[in-house]
Amino acid sequence: MNLIDNLCMNCFEQLTEGSVCPHCGFDNDSVSDMLFLPRKTVLKQRYVVGNVISQESDAVTYVGLDTQSKRLVTIRELIPKNIGNRLEGNPDVHIRERYKKSFLDFKESFLKLWKTLRSMNKLSAVIPVIEVFEENQTAYAVCEKMEYVTLRDFLIKNEDNIIDWDQARLMFMPVLTTLENLHSNGIIHGGINPDNLVLCRDGKVRLLGCCISECNSAQSELEFNENSGYTALEQYDNAHKICPATDIYAFSACIYRALVGTNPPNAVSRETNDKLMIPNRIAETIPAHVIKALGAGFQIYPEKRIQQIYDFRELLNAAPSVVAKADGGKAEKVDYVETEEEHIRNQEKQAKKAQKGGGKTVAIIIILIAIVAAAAVYVIGFTDWLDKNEETTTAAVSVNQVQVPDFCTAGYTESDVKNSGSWNKQFNITFEYEFSKDVAEGVVFKQSIAKGETVDEGADIVLTVSKGIEMGTVPDVGGLSKDEAVAKLEAEGFSVKIVSIYNLGEYTPNTVRRLNGMAPAAGTELAKGEEVTITVYGEVETTTEATTEATTGITTP
């Protein structure tokens, strides 16, 4: 394994000088958490463990090198958060006494999950699994490492953060086959969201984020993997059973995000208000059968949701037999979606009834209210639509006082708000803009009046819209003194990490190395606040060994 001594443990490219990688900027001398395997650990006499990529509820994922194929891999190690750790100098996973029995169950789930995924390598939406094995008193899954872009990042780069159904269909439909195979093997993914549906270089959409089932329930001993807006109600509340329909809910939420441009509201909040608002201009672009499919997949209670991937796929494809089944079946009923024109017609009918009873003025008012409300949005109803059709009117709303909605947590974009006729009638809405490293560009993340407050109709509300991550160009500080370099980088908004290197006398102490002395390199576009590493020559090292003092590390000026 001497061949790995000069490799960067983050990208596995050659280190040409010092510990800081000139390719990725990783400092190979940085100290890692004792919980993780030491870098350069070799598993199965084959896989070299590199830097940590991520830590989830059930496992840690490392970048690695397969010494047989000479290809990069990911190595997933079962080591549940707050349950397992390591003792210094020992690679074995140490489990807290009270969790030892549970850990055996977790390991069994882990092995079953990843062996099942390995058997599905030929499916297009699977990242190929190379090997699953036990070592160090725990279990490992090794997968091919692929370059990809998450669905969320892909959507953010599109106009209005959305794509049309024709493009979405090509992306999403192949994933359903993989999900169907998982379900047939008794595995519920439980964590589908736009961050683990990824677009790979080969053009295929693949599904990441597979964790053991114990991570996907709030009642588990393990940390709960919540993805607000994508996590189904039954994962919060054990009064309802986690089942294949749990993944259908999350998948429907991903389609909704792709077509509408905002995250769906949290499932728990939808128990009291289960409507999803779609701006009129967007709803007009979504085929009716797709909206019906979303209605079937977005039922708040799993018992009312469409139950099988096969039927959900057929709904998305508008297969007549399944559409009929969805419309007529009790458990798989698709909720009614009232279009703008239907809403106006229904309100007119109610107005005529009112007029017959002598309420001509009331009828006119109802029609006017209906027209204003219908012009703003389509409303997808997710309670029983038969009951809704029996309703005559909505509750009266005060003309003078209105309640401020939550503009922030639902992920509304500026265009969503501007195209909502009802909001712009109720409030005088203006916008201001700020950079944010946490909120996607164009999304509202602050409001001047808190949600739920009651204000006069026409009140001024200022919404703050994210300008996305503020980027800057890394300046060239090669050859500058350490203090000058730090000041220059910090003035541009970057943080600075200093790495000292040996100086045998040919360089001025405390100056930045000119060649490959920065990571990322000068001229790189980088987010403000990110770290730039500079390599600085230390004081001149002494080579004199004539006295005892000369070997103690004392340097000369």
Side-chain angles (χ1 to χ4, degrees):
M1 291 299 170
N2 292 334
L3 293 175
I4 68 173
D5 287 344
N6 288 324
L7 294 181
C8 170
M9 287 295 107
N10 189 59
C11 66
F12 287 89
E13 296 287 343
Q14 287 287 333
L15 292 173
T16 55
E17 187 176 350
S19 63
V20 178
C21 179
H23 304 281
C24 68
F26 178 69
D27 183 0
N28 285 264
D29 283 346
S30 60
V31 179
S32 62
D33 194 305
M34 194 173 71
L35 171 68
F36 308 138
L37 283 171
R39 301 181 198 118
K40 299 186 181 180
T41 297
V42 179
L43 298 173
K44 208 80 183 304
Q45 298 183 330
R46 174 178 177 179
Y47 305 107
V48 181
V49 176
N51 194 35
V52 173
I53 297 175
S54 62
Q55 182 181 15
E56 288 83 31
S57 176
D58 67 335
V60 173
T61 303
Y62 309 86
V63 64
L65 177 68
D66 181 349
T67 58
Q68 287 187 14
S69 66
K70 302 296 188 295
R71 298 181 66 178
L72 293 185
V73 295
T74 60
I75 302 170
R76 191 169 179 87
E77 177 184 47
L78 175 66
I79 181 166
K81 276 186 180 179
N82 306 319
I83 291 177
N85 57 21
R86 280 193 165 87
L87 304 179
E88 190 171 0
N90 189 343
D92 289 350
V93 170
H94 177 77
I95 303 299
R96 292 165 57 190
E97 189 64 35
R98 61 174 291 195
Y99 294 109
K100 285 187 175 179
K101 184 178 183 301
S102 297
F103 180 73
L104 294 177
D105 295 333
F106 299 155
K107 184 159 69 170
E108 183 178 344
S109 294
F110 184 93
L111 292 169
K112 178 186 177 183
L113 168 65
W114 290 98
K115 286 179 179 178
T116 301
L117 289 171
R118 188 184 183 192
S119 71
M120 297 163 56
N121 276 350
K122 292 183 179 180
L123 295 176
S124 65
V126 170
I127 298 283
V129 181
I130 299 170
E131 192 167 6
V132 182
F133 58 91
E134 294 184 55
E135 197 170 327
N136 300 327
Q137 301 299 311
T138 189
Y140 296 88
V142 180
C143 303
E144 289 185 17
K145 190 174 190 304
M146 293 189 169
E147 294 185 30
Y148 58 76
V149 174
T150 68
L151 174 64
R152 190 183 303 278
D153 288 342
F154 174 79
L155 292 172
I156 288 171
K157 293 177 182 178
N158 280 267
E159 185 177 358
D160 292 331
N161 298 326
I162 62 175
I163 55 178
D164 60 32
W165 170 242
D166 286 341
Q167 186 177 5
R169 182 176 58 82
L170 295 174
M171 292 168 57
F172 285 113
M173 297 304 278
V175 182
L176 290 175
T177 302
T178 297
L179 273 179
E180 190 172 24
N181 276 269
L182 277 176
H183 294 169
S184 68
N185 283 277
I187 293 173
I188 309 299
H189 187 286
I192 299 171
N193 67 78
D195 292 317
N196 57 37
L197 281 171
V198 300
L199 287 72
C200 299
R201 279 188 176 275
D202 60 5
K204 295 178 180 178
V205 176
R206 290 182 166 86
L207 181 60
L208 304 182
C210 289
C211 294
I212 61 176
S213 60
E214 290 85 351
C215 301
N216 296 320
S217 169
Q219 284 72 43
S220 173
E221 292 178 303
L222 297 182
E223 182 178 87
F224 178 34
N225 286 339
E226 180 187 11
N227 298 292
S228 184
Y230 301 88
T231 298
L233 180 69
E234 58 268 26
Q235 295 176 266
Y236 298 96
D237 181 0
N238 61 5
H240 303 277
K241 185 180 178 182
I242 293 175
C243 59
T246 303
D247 283 340
I248 293 175
Y249 183 94
F251 202 80
S252 298
C254 290
I255 296 175
Y256 176 92
R257 168 65 185 87
L259 299 181
V260 179
T262 59
N263 294 319
N266 180 280
V268 176
S269 70
R270 289 189 57 221
E271 269 204 288
T272 55
N273 180 11
D274 69 344
K275 296 184 184 300
L276 294 177
M277 311 299 286
I278 301 180
N280 194 35
R281 62 184 177 81
I282 293 177
E284 290 173 352
T285 68
I286 303 175
H289 71 274
V290 175
I291 293 181
K292 280 186 174 291
L294 291 178
F298 248 142
Q299 290 284 340
I300 188 65
Y301 297 114
E303 302 83 15
K304 293 185 176 182
R305 212 174 296 149
I306 195 162
Q307 296 294 301
Q308 302 297 329
I309 291 290
Y310 175 85
D311 291 338
F312 184 59
R313 182 198 294 112
E314 295 299 284
L315 273 179
L316 288 172
N317 285 329
S321 61
V322 177
V323 171
K325 178 181 177 182
D327 283 334
K330 183 177 181 181
E332 298 173 345
K333 185 188 304 174
V334 178
D335 290 330
Y336 178 68
V337 181
E338 190 175 48
T339 66
E340 179 178 325
E341 293 78 8
E342 289 169 337
H343 185 75
I344 293 173
R345 285 199 300 270
N346 288 337
Q347 291 296 339
E348 287 175 342
K349 288 179 183 178
Q350 298 301 330
K352 288 178 181 178
K353 289 181 181 178
Q355 186 175 2
K356 288 180 180 178
K360 184 179 296 184
T361 302
V362 174
I364 294 172
I365 292 172
I366 290 175
I367 292 172
L368 291 174
I369 292 173
I371 292 172
V372 171
V377 292
Y378 283 125
V379 179
I380 302 179
F382 291 96
T383 54
D384 191 90
W385 70 272
L386 291 173
D387 293 338
K388 286 195 173 211
N389 280 356
E390 294 173 0
E391 295 176 4
T392 56
T393 61
T394 56
V397 179
S398 171
V399 175
N400 299 316
Q401 294 280 305
V402 289
Q403 192 175 63
V404 176
D406 183 357
F407 290 103
C408 299
T409 58
Y412 291 118
T413 64
E414 179 179 356
S415 60
D416 291 335
V417 178
K418 285 182 175 179
N419 283 287
S420 174
S422 57
W423 284 343
N424 287 283
K425 180 177 176 61
Q426 291 175 329
F427 311 104
N428 178 32
I429 301 174
T430 57
F431 300 89
E432 59 183 28
Y433 307 89
E434 292 181 11
F435 288 108
S436 172
K437 65 179 182 179
D438 302 314
V439 181
E441 184 176 357
V443 175
V444 175
F445 68 104
K446 291 180 188 176
Q447 55 190 79
S448 60
I449 302 178
K451 67 177 181 181
E453 287 195 22
T454 301
V455 298
D456 291 339
E457 190 173 54
D460 293 332
I461 296 181
V462 180
L463 301 182
T464 304
V465 178
S466 171
K467 293 168 66 176
I469 298 173
E470 184 177 11
M471 303 296 288
T473 303
V474 178
D476 188 356
V477 297
L480 298 182
S481 71
K482 177 179 70 174
D483 292 342
E484 290 173 335
V486 170
K488 188 170 183 178
L489 288 165
E490 289 181 345
E492 294 295 328
F494 304 113
S495 63
V496 183
K497 179 179 180 180
I498 300 170
V499 176
S500 296
I501 58 174
Y502 290 115
N503 184 2
L504 297 178
E506 64 268 45
Y507 301 105
T508 305
N510 290 313
T511 59
V512 179
R513 184 168 61 183
R514 290 185 181 277
L515 183 62
N516 295 325
M518 302 172 57
T524 301
E525 288 293 311
L526 189 67
K528 296 287 183 78
E530 290 294 307
E531 185 177 82
V532 176
T533 301
I534 58 174
T535 307
V536 176
Y537 293 109
E539 298 294 333
V540 177
E541 298 288 333
T542 180
T543 58
T544 303
E545 298 183 3
T547 65
T548 302
E549 287 77 11
T551 65
T552 63
I554 300 174
T555 58
T556 57

